[in-house]
Amino acid sequence: MSAVQDGPASAGDLGTPAGAGPRWVPLTPALVEDHGERPVSVRRTVLQVVVGVLLVLVLVAMSGSVAARTLAEKESVNDAAKTANLFAEAVVQPALSDGVVTGDPAALNRIDRVVRAYVLESAIVRVKLWTPSGRVVYSDEESLIGQQFRLDDEQLEVFTTPRTRAEVSGLDRPENGFERGQGKLLEVYRPVWTPSGTPLLFETYAPYDQVTSRSEQIWRGFAGITLTSLVALLVLLLPVTWRLLDAVRRSREQREALLQRAVDASTDERRRIAGTLHDGVVQELAATSFAVSSAATRAEQVGQPALAGSLRAAAGTVRTTIGGLRSLLVDIYPPNLASAGLSAALDDLAATVRLRETEVDLVVDDDAVAVLDEAGQRLCYRVTQECLLNTVRHARAGLVRVSVERDGRHVVLSIEDDGVGFDVPQTLDRPPEGHFGLRVLADRVRDAGAELFVASAPASGTRWRLEVPVR
C-alpha cells in the first residue's frame, strides 16, 4: 500500500529499528472506507465528463474524417465519370475521324486542338485514345502515340458492354510512366466511335486534389454540426452531473450524520443501561449479599454451621457476580472518565482485561493527562477501549502495555501487545463486512485533529500509537 511509511515522526523507543519489524501505517478514513467505496470528488468527476466528451469528439473527428474522405472519393469518382462522358460525347467524338486510327497527321492535329482547348483546360492531366488491340492512337503526351500496351480485362470489357468506368488509379501499369510523380489520379475510360464505327477507348486522368477539396467541404459541414451537438451535450451534461454529484454528496453527508447519530445514540443508550444496572441490579445484589452474610452469621450463632457455610458461599457468589457486572459497566460506559479522569478510567479498562486472563501493564503520566482537554481524554479512552477490545477478541495476547506520555507538542498514547498480529494492508483494503470499528475510530481521530498509527504483522504482535496535539 502506498500509505505505508517507515514510522511516526517521533516514534521514540516504541518503534522497531528500521527494517527489523512491521512498519507504521497511518490509520486515515480513506484507508478504512467500506470495501469498494471511495469519496466522490466533484472536480474529478466534472473533469472526467469533460475528458470523456473530448475523447468522443476526437473519435468522432477521426471517424468523420475517414467517412468524409470515403464519401468525397466516391462523389469525385462519379463526377469524374460524368465529366468524361460529357467530354466524350460533346467534344471528342464529334472531332474524331477515321484518320486518327491510321495516324493521319491532319486528323491527329484536329483532335489535339480540341483536346487541348476544351479537355485539358478542365483540370484533366492526361488524355489517351486506344484501339482494342492496346495501341495508343492519340495522347496529349506525343511520346505515347503508337506505343503498344496490354489492356486489362476491365478496359476490354467496355468494348463488349459499353459503359463508363471510373476508379482511383494506382499508376502501376506500364503505360502510366508519364503520369507517375503526380500523386494519385482519378482514371476514367469509356468507348467512343469513329464515323465508320471503329471503337476506341477514351481515357482521361484527373487530379486527386478534387477529392481532398471535396472531403474538406464535407468535413467542414459535418464537423460544424458534430461540434455544436457535442458542445450542447456537454452544456446539458454539466448541470445534470453537478446535481447528481450534489445529491451524492448530500446522501453521503446524511449517511455520515446517521452513523454519527447512531454512535451518539449508542453512547446515550449505554449510559442509560449502565445507570439502570448500577442503580438497580447492582445495588440490589449488594443488598442481597449483605443480607445473606448476616443470615450466615445468625445461623452460626444458633448452632447451624452447615447452613452458615452454604449462606457464606452464596454471598461469595453474589459478590463475584457484582464484580462481573461492575466490569461490564466499565465496558458499557466509563463513569470514572467524567468523574475521576482518564487515569482512573484507563485503570478500570485494564482491570476488565485482567479478568479475561490477559496481563496489562499500565503507565500514565499525570502531567501528560493534565494538558489534555475533555475531548482529548475522551479520544484517548475510546482508542484504548477499541484497541483493548480487539486485543481480547482477536490477538490471544498474554501481555498488553498501555502508556500515556507527553512528547513535545503531542500527548502520545501507546498500546502494544504480544499477540498473533494481523496483515495491516490486507485488513485495511478488505475490512470485514459490517465492521465499523476502525472506520469510526479513524473518523474520531481525524475530527480531533490527531493521528493514529498501527504496526503489525502475523506472529509479530500489534502496536498502536495515537498522537494528540496539545491545545
Side-chain angles (χ1 to χ4, degrees):
M1 289 179 58
S2 61
V4 175
Q5 61 185 45
D6 290 337
S10 57
D13 58 358
L14 277 177
T16 304
R23 292 181 294 174
W24 291 100
V25 177
L27 194 68
T28 62
L31 289 178
V32 292
E33 288 288 338
D34 292 340
H35 180 48
E37 182 179 346
R38 292 293 181 269
V40 178
S41 169
V42 174
R43 179 181 298 178
R44 183 173 66 243
T45 304
V46 171
L47 182 61
Q48 288 173 347
V49 171
V50 173
V51 170
V53 172
L54 291 178
L55 287 176
V56 171
L57 180 60
V58 171
L59 292 175
V60 169
M62 294 174 61
S63 59
S65 178
V66 173
R69 179 169 290 274
T70 302
L71 180 60
E73 187 173 279
K74 183 177 180 180
E75 290 187 358
S76 297
V77 168
N78 290 336
D79 289 347
K82 292 177 182 179
T83 301
N85 275 335
L86 182 62
F87 286 143
E89 295 173 0
V91 177
V92 175
Q93 188 157 314
L96 278 178
S97 64
D98 292 323
V100 172
V101 179
T102 60
D104 178 33
L108 291 176
N109 286 335
R110 181 185 177 192
I111 193 68
D112 187 61
R113 287 194 305 271
V114 171
V115 167
R116 293 185 184 279
Y118 299 103
V119 180
L120 295 181
E121 290 293 324
S122 303
I124 301 296
V125 300
R126 184 73 68 237
V127 174
K128 300 175 186 176
L129 286 172
W130 303 69
T131 64
S133 62
R135 181 169 60 90
V136 179
V137 296
Y138 168 77
S139 174
D140 61 288
E141 175 57 55
E142 294 182 6
S143 301
L144 288 171
I145 298 176
Q147 292 194 39
Q148 187 81 27
F149 300 98
R150 180 180 176 276
L151 295 178
D152 60 29
D153 294 339
E154 292 179 344
Q155 290 172 317
L156 292 173
E157 185 183 355
V158 301
F159 290 109
T160 58
T161 307
R163 60 174 177 160
T164 302
R165 295 185 64 95
E167 60 187 20
V168 179
S169 175
L171 302 177
D172 54 356
R173 295 193 294 267
E175 67 268 19
N176 296 130
F178 291 96
E179 289 82 55
R180 296 191 186 104
Q182 302 184 55
K184 292 191 291 184
L185 296 175
L186 298 176
E187 179 184 1
V188 184
Y189 48 88
R190 56 150 291 168
V192 292
W193 293 267
T194 64
S196 64
T198 301
L200 296 175
L201 183 70
F202 172 60
E203 185 177 35
T204 64
Y205 289 84
Y208 193 80
D209 294 346
Q210 57 184 297
V211 175
T212 304
S213 177
R214 181 67 61 85
S215 174
E216 291 175 354
Q217 292 175 1
I218 295 174
W219 169 238
R220 279 196 297 268
F222 174 74
I225 297 175
T226 303
L227 183 59
T228 303
S229 301
L230 288 175
V231 170
L233 176 62
L234 179 60
V235 171
L236 290 175
L237 277 178
L238 285 178
V240 174
T241 304
W242 191 270
R243 284 197 296 270
L244 288 175
L245 289 174
D246 185 62
V248 170
R249 178 185 57 78
R250 284 188 280 107
S251 175
R252 187 179 186 83
E253 290 176 352
Q254 290 172 358
R255 283 178 48 192
E256 291 179 351
L258 288 174
L259 179 60
Q260 185 61 46
R261 209 172 297 155
V263 172
D264 294 341
S266 174
T267 301
D268 293 339
E269 185 65 15
R270 289 159 74 155
R271 183 189 298 113
R272 186 189 65 80
I273 293 173
T276 301
L277 288 175
H278 183 271
D279 297 336
V281 176
V282 172
Q283 299 301 326
E284 292 173 1
L285 286 176
T288 302
S289 173
F290 293 141
V292 173
S293 296
S294 299
T297 301
R298 289 195 299 271
E300 190 173 25
Q301 290 174 349
V302 297
Q304 295 180 332
L307 178 58
S310 297
L311 291 174
R312 287 193 180 94
T317 301
V318 172
R319 285 193 294 272
T320 302
T321 302
I322 292 173
L325 281 175
R326 291 188 184 277
S327 297
L328 179 62
L329 290 178
V330 172
D331 283 342
I332 293 176
Y333 186 75
N336 280 339
L337 182 60
S339 58
L342 179 62
S343 298
L346 292 182
D347 191 59
D348 288 343
L349 279 179
T352 61
V353 174
R354 293 188 185 103
L355 290 175
R356 293 162 183 170
E357 299 181 355
T358 300
E359 184 59 34
V360 180
D361 183 5
L362 177 64
V363 178
V364 179
D365 182 353
D366 292 334
D367 293 335
V369 174
V371 298
L372 287 175
D373 56 13
E374 183 180 348
Q377 293 193 32
R378 243 189 343 261
L379 178 64
C380 289
Y381 178 84
R382 289 303 179 193
V383 170
T384 305
Q385 184 182 44
E386 185 68 29
C387 293
L388 290 180
L389 185 62
N390 287 334
T391 298
V392 170
R393 288 179 176 175
H394 310 296
R396 300 197 294 274
L399 174 64
V400 183
R401 293 188 178 92
V402 181
S403 67
V404 179
E405 58 185 0
R406 183 166 182 175
D407 187 356
R409 298 182 58 83
H410 294 83
V411 172
V412 178
L413 166 68
S414 300
I415 304 166
E416 181 178 355
D417 67 56
D418 60 357
V420 296
F422 64 97
D423 188 328
V424 176
Q426 182 178 1
T427 302
L428 296 182
D429 279 342
R430 291 178 292 276
E433 185 70 24
H435 286 222
F436 298 105
L438 289 180
R439 179 178 180 183
V440 174
L441 202 61
D443 286 336
R444 284 182 178 272
V445 170
R446 177 200 59 189
D447 293 342
E451 290 184 286
L452 179 62
F453 300 86
V454 59
S456 184
S460 297
T462 302
R463 291 174 294 161
W464 299 88
R465 179 182 176 89
L466 173 67
E467 297 180 357
V468 184
V470 176
R471 304 301 181 187

